[in-house]
Amino acid sequence: MDLLPWKFFPLLVLLASFLFLFYIQDSSKQSQSDCSLLPHSHYWIASKRIVTPQGIISGAVEVKAGDIISIVKDTDWNGKSKQVLDYGNAVVMPGLIDVHAHLDDPGRAEWEGFPSGTKAAAAGGITTLIDMPLNNFPSTVSAETLKLKIEAAEKSIYVDVGFWGGLVPENAFNATTLEALLDAGALGLKSFMCPSGINDFPMTDATHIKAGLSVLAKYRRPLLVHSEIQPAVESHLETEDDGGDPRSYSTYLKTRPPSMEEAAIRELLTVTKDTSIGGPAEGAHLHVVHLSDASSSLDLIKEAKRRGDSITVETCPHYLAFSAEEIPDGDTRFKCAPPIRDAANKEKLWNALMEGHIDMLSSDHSPTVAELKLFNDGNFLKAWGGISSIQFVLPVTWSYGQKFGITLEQLVSWWSERPAKLAGQHSKGSITIGNHADIVVWEPEVEFNLNDGHPMFVKNPSISAYIGKRLSGNVLATFVRGNLVYKQGNHAVAACGSMILAT
């Protein structure tokens, strides 16, 4: 005797199909909910200080399905929606966009890696970062090596991440290779005019840069350049031949004088004229990264802007926070290239930033493992150079900028609007209807000590030059495309940041 009449079999099949479909849909919902610390995707963010392109307003921002769909002032806001995140007097502003970060993935993930680096970024209010093509291995200098980086980032990023490709001698004169790299999604290219310290990322000269700009012109994308030229005079190299104490920061400072930046920029300007309107490389753009010399080098850039070259320049918080005179002997956490210069130069950098001659800020987050910083020896000439900073750039900029009277609108310009333009991200960088809901909520007046008790998410926190500092500016929440990815020390369960590939 049959346990179940055959006539019921089709009904069972239908029931099984329904249960399977329900399971798939439920799993999908669970997966989506893991992307955010909020249970819903339609909600309002309210505050008395919302930074918009039209000014600072008191009101609310409506978010739905990852985008900003309305912005209202208090006079038009009834506050009756059930899904309201009211942040009171905390500042609501566009998330930071860091166009210069080294996450070292793949190949050197022990230095940082996409998971830890993007968690730290989210904790610092950064909602988008553009990863540099070197310090990972292999360096990103072809479509094939970009694919490796994309695979490493997949399902490992808590914020949105884009990628710069590398311009090196081996691809500079090969338009097919460069075009393939750009077609694969690189947002632009990066080159070094001095040794990078990475064997498979050699230095370029003006002829390589000119060739690269001609290709970039077709794509209307930028070339970012590390602008230092190592002089032929042997005593300027990083050696101990001059008898200086390698534990003294002044010894290292002498190996990379401002004249190295000036010489590189002077050479760059022989080719950037091609980027002006009507020039052979019109459509390309040159961006000078991490400027540290606020004198002759900056004057040359100002001159190029006046004559119509398509050129911008950034500096970094560590050049605005520290000065050479205060760096202790042997404290190699402060080693970077170009180097941190004297206090008078720091003041000039701030003035240039405030006056608009420096266009934007970036972290140049360049971490490594503690062993390569040679803390036991304290040898500035041999230690790995790079400042670990990605989680702290917002409070650092705000804290050290108080002396100069910086405003919230300036912060947004330096850290959101202009970086978005450089990276070609037209749906980011401002709290505007239709833009991605990339938002940071923070308290400028709240101070904290950056010590072992402060939650830090970079992989190697001990190497940061900011450890031990007292800062103002506590990040409460970070939203990436509407997902609440960070809230007061906690991250979303899943890494659901999007990869940004140029098309």
Side-chain angles (χ1 to χ4, degrees), residues 277-301:
I277 296 174
E282 180 184 353
H285 178 81
L286 192 134
H287 181 71
V288 175
V289 299
H290 52 43
L291 182 80
S292 75
D293 172 35
S295 296
S296 299
S297 301
L298 183 59
D299 288 341
L300 288 170
I301 294 170

Side-chain angles (χ1 to χ4, degrees), residues 24 27 65 67 69 143 172 180 199-200 246 257 271 331 342 437-438 443 478 485:
I24 292 295
S27 297
D67 293 331
I69 65 169
N199 291 336
D200 68 344
V271 297
D331 197 343
D342 61 29
D438 295 346
E443 301 169 305
T478 303
V485 299

Side-chain angles (χ1 to χ4, degrees), residues 294 319 342-353 403-404:
Y319 300 124
D342 61 29
N345 182 80
K346 180 177 71 173
E347 294 280 317
K348 287 182 179 179
L349 280 176
W350 269 113
N351 291 332
L353 183 64
K403 172 184 174 182
F404 299 90

Side-chain angles (χ1 to χ4, degrees), residues 50-113:
I50 301 173
V51 187
T52 76
Q54 291 73 42
I56 299 174
I57 67 168
S58 177
V61 178
E62 185 179 9
V63 176
K64 186 176 182 180
D67 293 331
I68 297 168
I69 65 169
S70 72
I71 303 166
V72 295
K73 295 183 179 179
D74 272 346
T75 51
D76 304 313
W77 165 242
N78 57 28
K80 292 181 180 179
S81 171
K82 293 181 180 179
Q83 310 298 348
V84 179
L85 305 174
D86 191 343
Y87 287 104
N89 200 45
V91 170
V92 172
M93 73 181 205
L96 280 66
I97 298 174
D98 187 358
V99 295
H100 191 154
H102 300 265
L103 297 191
D104 312 323
D105 217 348
R108 293 188 176 94
E110 70 275 12
W111 291 17
E112 188 61 86

Side-chain angles (χ1 to χ4, degrees), residues 451-470:
N451 53 30
D452 291 342
H454 187 84
M456 287 181 275
F457 299 96
V458 290
K459 187 163 286 185
N460 300 291
S462 67
I463 69 170
S464 178
Y466 294 110
I467 302 299
K469 302 299 180 184
R470 185 166 180 81

Side-chain angles (χ1 to χ4, degrees), residues 171-304:
N171 66 17
F173 302 118
N174 188 331
T176 301
T177 299
L178 286 182
E179 289 174 359
L181 176 55
L182 294 167
D183 288 338
L187 298 176
L189 302 175
K190 163 74 181 294
S191 72
F192 270 71
M193 296 183 76
C194 61
S196 70
I198 298 295
N199 291 336
D200 68 344
F201 204 94
M203 60 185 276
T204 55
D205 59 25
T207 63
H208 302 116
I209 289 166
K210 185 180 181 72
L213 287 173
S214 68
V215 174
L216 287 162
K218 304 173 189 176
Y219 291 80
R220 307 191 74 82
R221 296 182 203 167
L223 173 65
L224 289 73
V225 182
H226 181 126
S227 303
E228 289 181 287
I229 290 181
Q230 231 170 26
V233 181
E234 195 69 24
S235 62
H236 280 168
L237 302 181
E238 288 187 35
T239 68
E240 300 178 47
D241 294 345
D242 64 355
D245 180 2
R247 288 179 52 81
S248 170
Y249 185 76
S250 63
T251 300
Y252 171 62
L253 189 59
K254 290 174 185 176
T255 69
R256 301 187 95 104
S259 58
M260 286 182 62
E261 290 187 83
E262 180 186 353
I265 292 169
R266 193 176 296 280
E267 184 170 322
L268 274 179
L269 299 193
T270 66
V271 297
T272 57
K273 63 181 185 294
D274 292 351
T275 65
S276 60
I277 296 174
E282 180 184 353
H285 178 81
L286 192 134
H287 181 71
V288 175
V289 299
H290 52 43
L291 182 80
S292 75
D293 172 35
S295 296
S296 299
S297 301
L298 183 59
D299 288 341
L300 288 170
I301 294 170
K302 289 158 66 174
E303 176 187 326

Side-chain angles (χ1 to χ4, degrees), residues 371-392:
E371 293 76 21
L372 292 181
K373 279 293 188 180
L374 304 181
F375 290 142
N376 291 335
D377 296 336
N379 188 324
F380 278 104
L381 301 180
K382 293 183 178 179
W384 179 263
I387 304 290
S388 177
S389 60
I390 199 166
Q391 186 176 330
F392 318 123

